[in-house]
Amino acid sequence: MTVTNPAIPSARVADEPSTTERRPRNPFKRFWPQYVAVAPFYILFLVFGMFPLIFSIWLSFNDWDGMGQMKFVGLAQYRFLITDSRFWLAVGNTFLIWIMSTIPMLFLALVIAFLLHTNIRAKGFYRVAFFIPNVTSAVAMAIVFGSIFSNSFGIINSFLNWLHVSQVPWLSNPWGIKVVIAVMVIWRWTGYNSIIYLAGLQAVSTELYEAARVDGANNWHIFSRITIPMLRPVILFTVITSTVGGLSLFTEPQVLFGNTSNIGGPADGGLTIVLYQYYQAFNQFDFGYGAAIAWALFIIAVVFAIINWRLVSEREVDGQKVFKVSRKQRAANASAEPTEVAAK
């Protein structure tokens, strides 16, 4: 006859796991295939992303030509940057080109998206046609536009000559250069932004449009009173991305004037911030100053993106602008609501 201890049930003793079984397994040993699968991305990011980023910060405080020994100069690069008149000329050119290109581009993209969202034939054809410029090679596009706006044999000047209008020196006048670069940006990115707006429009309920048409609203009222307010988050996204892209403009002026003696074109009319950074780093071999220009561009882009975000993110309620409420204010309002309901 087997005697068991009544205080410890035999079934519980048999089912109770040992201390070794209760120890959690090493997550790396358990999920090592997943870690190995994602490791190449992080390795490439550390080598080609994080390391150059950190190195550029250190490089901006040094004087280095890319071959010899680095010489630590502290804030000397940034002090010279503040007094560099050509850098501020590049900043002014970049902002002018951004204004001349981004505002018309986003407005045209919004109008095109609104028209594509209506009941028209061959929607797929128009979507592909408007998106093709974005996938076209930027170098080939710059060469074609350089031929179109050429001073001597360009199509635009030939057309003006046919109209008995004086020709315009597009590629030798500072303002003409800005117009050419702005037109190139508009031609390339309008279709891309229109596709983004079209995706946002498809998420808007059609009942709003039907109700507006029943009330007698025309296309302009629907566009200004329904489409634009409902697309405010999408517009905010396109404004910020267009701001970053406009401030980092490089390919168009580089292809147009990269092989000339003056990298920014006549009177530096096409000199942008990134083009000036490229000139200092890879033409003058002043990598320290080039890194300082890059970080100055980063600060300008962040500040400008925040300003655009503040301007676009405001809402209108009953004709009055209402700005975003802070987290503390939202928490205070949420805690006050139950008290108000109880009082009622």
Side-chain angles (χ1 to χ4, degrees):
M1 182 177 179
T2 305
V3 180
T4 59
N5 187 355
I8 303 177
S10 59
R12 185 176 178 181
V13 173
D15 296 338
E16 187 176 359
S18 62
T19 56
T20 58
E21 294 178 353
R22 282 182 294 180
R23 291 177 182 173
R25 297 180 59 184
N26 191 341
F28 180 78
K29 292 181 179 180
R30 184 179 179 183
F31 299 106
W32 70 266
Q34 289 83 348
Y35 288 122
V36 172
V38 300
F41 167 78
Y42 289 100
I43 294 174
L44 292 175
F45 173 75
L46 290 175
V47 175
F48 297 102
M50 184 61 68
F51 173 74
L53 183 66
I54 298 175
F55 182 71
S56 66
I57 299 176
W58 170 250
L59 187 60
S60 65
F61 297 102
N62 291 268
D63 184 14
W64 188 47
D65 60 357
M67 297 294 293
Q69 187 176 4
M70 289 186 181
K71 179 182 178 181
F72 183 79
V73 294
L75 297 175
Q77 306 282 15
Y78 293 97
R79 284 194 294 266
F80 179 76
L81 180 71
I82 296 175
T83 60
D84 189 359
S85 60
R86 200 176 185 191
F87 168 75
W88 292 110
L89 176 62
V91 172
N93 291 340
T94 304
F95 276 101
L96 285 175
I97 295 172
W98 178 85
I99 294 173
M100 296 168 62
S101 61
T102 301
I103 296 176
M105 174 186 65
L106 295 182
F107 179 76
L108 289 175
L110 195 57
V111 173
I112 292 172
F114 178 74
L115 295 176
L116 291 178
H117 190 59
T118 58
N119 294 325
I120 60 174
R121 297 180 179 179
K123 286 185 180 181
F125 169 77
Y126 288 112
R127 294 175 185 178
V128 174
F130 283 115
F131 192 73
I132 282 178
N134 183 253
V135 298
T136 305
S137 173
V139 176
M141 177 190 66
I143 294 175
V144 171
F145 273 85
S147 301
I148 293 175
F149 288 93
S150 176
N151 295 335
S152 55
F153 56 87
I155 297 176
I156 302 298
N157 278 334
S158 298
F159 181 72
L160 294 177
N161 190 23
W162 179 72
L163 295 176
H164 302 286
V165 179
S166 59
Q167 297 183 356
V168 178
W170 298 105
L171 300 181
S172 59
N173 181 272
W175 280 102
I177 293 171
K178 295 178 179 63
V179 170
V180 173
I181 297 175
V183 170
M184 293 168 62
V185 174
I186 293 172
W187 183 83
R188 184 181 182 188
W189 294 102
T190 299
Y192 171 83
N193 289 284
S194 65
I195 296 299
I196 295 178
Y197 288 148
L198 182 61
L201 285 173
Q202 292 175 349
V204 180
S205 176
T206 57
E207 297 178 355
L208 296 175
Y209 296 103
E210 295 174 357
R213 294 189 184 280
V214 170
D215 292 338
N218 54 27
N219 289 334
W220 171 250
H221 290 156
I222 294 174
F223 177 75
S224 60
R225 303 293 178 84
I226 297 178
T227 302
I228 294 180
M230 296 300 293
L231 285 181
R232 191 175 295 274
V234 183
I235 294 175
L236 174 61
F237 169 77
T238 55
V239 167
I240 293 178
T241 54
S242 300
T243 300
V244 176
L247 294 179
S248 59
L249 194 64
F250 171 75
T251 305
E252 290 81 359
Q254 164 63 16
V255 176
L256 286 175
F257 307 107
N259 295 327
T260 59
S261 57
N262 193 351
I263 192 171
D268 284 335
L271 184 65
T272 61
I273 301 176
V274 179
L275 188 61
Y276 186 53
Q277 174 202 356
Y278 172 83
Y279 169 78
Q280 290 292 336
F282 298 100
N283 283 26
Q284 300 297 317
F285 299 103
D286 192 352
F287 290 97
Y289 189 52
I293 295 174
W295 281 102
L297 173 60
F298 171 76
I299 296 173
I300 294 173
V302 170
V303 172
F304 211 61
I306 293 174
I307 294 174
N308 289 331
W309 177 75
R310 295 291 298 178
L311 292 176
V312 179
S313 62
E314 61 188 22
R315 298 177 294 126
E316 289 188 2
V317 178
D318 297 332
Q320 296 181 355
K321 292 183 178 181
V322 179
F323 293 90
K324 298 187 69 174
V325 184
S326 62
R327 293 182 179 179
K328 294 182 179 180
Q329 187 64 32
R330 288 200 302 266
N333 295 339
S335 61
E337 286 180 358
T339 305
E340 295 176 356
V341 173
K344 291 181 180 179

